Structures are given as C-alpha cells and as structure tokens.
Amino acid sequence: MRFLVATDFSEASDKALMSAVNLATLTNSEIVLLHIFEVSEIDKSAKKIIGSGFLNREIKNRLEQMVSEIEKNKSIKISYLTKEGELFDTMKNAVEETSSDILFIGTHGVHGVQHITGSFLAKTINMVDVPVWVVQKGSEICNFKNIYIYIDELFDNPVNPIIIDIAKKFNSSIHFNFTDSTSGFATKELISKIQSTLENSGINYTLSSLNGEDDMIKAFTQKATNTDSSLIILDRNQNEISTFIDVFNNKKCVEVLCLN
C-alpha cells in the first residue's frame, strides 16, 4: 500500500506522520509526504522578483530532513512531494497522482478554532476518493488492540479488507456497534457477513447494539474512547460527515479511519 501524509510541519501533522510510519512498518507500505503551497497574490509577486526556487528551498530542505530521519530509523520507503494551488483540489490531485491508498491528516482536535477544524475535515474527506486517517496532535501512537466500528444502514462494508488487514497486523479485537437505524433483516444480513468473513480469520470480535441510546453517536464515542489502544472506524457514506465531527475530535484523541 501507499500512504499519502499531508504535512504543514505542525505538531498535528507530525503526529499523523508517526501514525503512518507505525502502520507502514507493519504492512510494508510506502509513504509519500505532501506539502501544499497555497499561493497568495503576495507570493506570486515575490516569485516574479526572486524566483520560486528560493521560496521553496527551505520547505524542501525540511522535507528532505524528515525523509532522511525516517529512512535512518525505519526500513520503509519514503519520499516527498510539493504542490502549489488551492488546498482541497491540490490534495485530491495528489492522491490520484501518487495512487495512494490512504490519506493521513493531522488535526488540532477540540483545541483551537473547532468549527474551522470540522469544516476542513469534512471537506477533505468528501473531496478525496480514498480512506482518510485522522490523527489528533494529542494522539498516542500505539498498537490498536481494539477497533470500534459504528454501523448503520449506510455503512458499505463492515468487513472491508482494510479493516481485516489492520486487525491482523495489530492482533486487534473488532467491536461492531449497530444502530437502531439498521432494520432487523439488514442487521441479520450484516451479522451473517461478518461471521462468515471472520470465522476462520483468528480475529476476535464482538457484536453490540446502540439501541435505546438518546444520542447513539455520543454513546458510541464514549464506548470507543474508554478503552485503551483503540481505533475508530466510520464510513463516508454514513449521513453527513459533519455529524461525526465530535468523533474525529474526541477528547481522548483516539485516531479515526474514515472509509470511502
């Protein structure tokens, strides 16, 4: 697999890179670091005077240092890519250009300007055509002993190969949480699919219901974040991504993978 990691050299994006390295080490995956220059009119004027090479040199030096440091300590393939343009379109194009399988992004979570963070996350997830792995700057990089999945009638595939691969690599237990929006028949179909897929996989799993909860998303988030070494998995097809912003920005800083 190939992971694209967006970086602006912030603490949050550094933590996203650490998470990508953690997963890449286990899955023998490649990492591409992406830095996007959002060019302003001032930048354009400056480039006419001193040239773009001078303005970009410091950024490229920092990226080269990051690549060198990881290559020195980890046996994974890593490179970097710089792009200029509008943030979201450029990120989408970079995902396609690099044929990446997962996009890693860092977020400041509940700190800072939360509504801007939420808007950024929602737009990023909706723009790209690959799963998005969200890491808060307060996240602790760990082996995911527990994977929590929120399942409603819009969840496309609760036994997505990515989920199975992560669970096997980290020896994780998967906890499937069903909402009351899934009909009895649909729930039985999903449970049958889960059981048939995991029966001989060696993966431990549980099935539970969120029925009766006044706020199922809140109840799910509390359950998922009260367990050590967790990973939360959502599906982009589930309602509006904006309804899950509190999940992405959970106070325990649990990492979230949003499938597409």
Side-chain angles (χ1 to χ4, degrees), residues 28-171:
N28 194 30
S29 298
E30 175 186 351
I31 292 176
V32 179
L33 279 171
L34 170 68
H35 182 81
I36 297 174
F37 297 91
E38 289 193 272
V39 183
S40 67
E41 290 304 316
I42 295 176
D43 292 331
K44 291 177 182 177
S45 299
K47 284 185 177 184
K48 291 179 181 178
I49 300 172
I50 60 178
S52 60
F54 179 82
L55 293 174
N56 296 348
R57 191 177 305 147
E58 182 180 353
I59 296 295
K60 290 185 177 180
N61 285 342
R62 293 185 70 177
L63 290 168
E64 287 171 359
Q65 289 174 2
M66 293 168 70
V67 167
S68 176
E69 187 67 24
I70 291 171
E71 286 180 331
K72 184 169 62 178
N73 295 296
K74 301 289 183 179
S75 298
I76 58 176
K77 183 178 180 181
I78 181 169
S79 58
Y80 72 85
L81 178 68
T82 59
K83 290 283 187 181
E84 292 184 3
E86 190 275 332
L87 180 63
F88 299 103
D89 286 338
T90 306
M91 192 176 296
K92 175 180 172 63
N93 292 337
V95 168
E96 296 171 354
E97 179 182 327
T98 58
S99 300
S100 294
D101 299 290
I102 299 177
L103 170 65
F104 281 76
I105 58 174
T107 172
H108 295 278
V110 297
H111 304 290
V113 188
Q114 188 171 353
H115 70 279
I116 293 179
T117 301
S119 175
F120 172 84
L121 278 175
K123 191 167 183 179
T124 301
I125 291 168
N126 287 322
M127 281 286 291
V128 300
D129 296 323
V130 298
V132 177
W133 196 299
V134 181
V135 185
Q136 294 189 50
K137 72 173 183 178
S139 298
E140 293 185 10
I141 307 306
C142 61
N143 294 328
F144 303 110
K145 295 179 182 178
N146 295 283
I147 296 174
Y148 283 84
I149 306 178
Y150 182 89
I151 299 176
D152 59 17
E153 79 282 1
L154 298 175
F155 200 107
D156 185 46
N157 182 12
V159 284
N160 185 298
I162 291 178
I163 299 174
I164 304 304
D165 193 37
I166 293 172
K168 286 183 176 179
K169 297 299 183 184
F170 287 100
N171 194 27

Side-chain angles (χ1 to χ4, degrees), residues 121 125 150-152 179 216-218 220-221 232-250 256 258:
L121 278 175
I125 291 168
Y150 182 89
I151 299 176
D152 59 17
T179 71
M216 288 183 289
I217 294 177
K218 182 177 180 180
F220 167 77
T221 305
I232 294 173
I233 295 182
L234 305 173
D235 190 298
R236 189 175 67 180
N237 295 317
Q238 295 174 301
N239 301 313
E240 293 291 330
I241 287 298
S242 57
T243 63
F244 292 103
I245 291 304
D246 287 342
V247 182
F248 289 108
N249 292 334
N250 67 84
V256 181
C258 187

Side-chain angles (χ1 to χ4, degrees), residues 177-230:
N177 293 261
F178 293 86
T179 71
D180 60 8
S181 62
T182 50
S183 67
F185 176 76
T187 299
K188 288 180 181 179
E189 288 278 297
L190 287 171
I191 289 175
S192 177
K193 186 174 184 179
I194 290 167
Q195 290 174 330
S196 62
T197 302
L198 299 183
E199 183 177 1
N200 298 313
S201 68
I203 297 173
N204 294 321
Y205 67 93
T206 63
L207 304 167
S208 61
S209 172
L210 295 167
N211 291 355
E213 298 289 349
D214 293 333
D215 186 332
M216 288 183 289
I217 294 177
K218 182 177 180 180
F220 167 77
T221 305
Q222 289 176 339
K223 181 188 293 188
T225 57
N226 283 336
T227 305
D228 291 336
S229 304
S230 295

Side-chain angles (χ1 to χ4, degrees), residues 11-19 135-141:
E11 186 178 350
S13 64
D14 286 347
K15 193 59 69 76
L17 174 58
M18 290 172 61
S19 182
V135 185
Q136 294 189 50
K137 72 173 183 178
S139 298
E140 293 185 10
I141 307 306

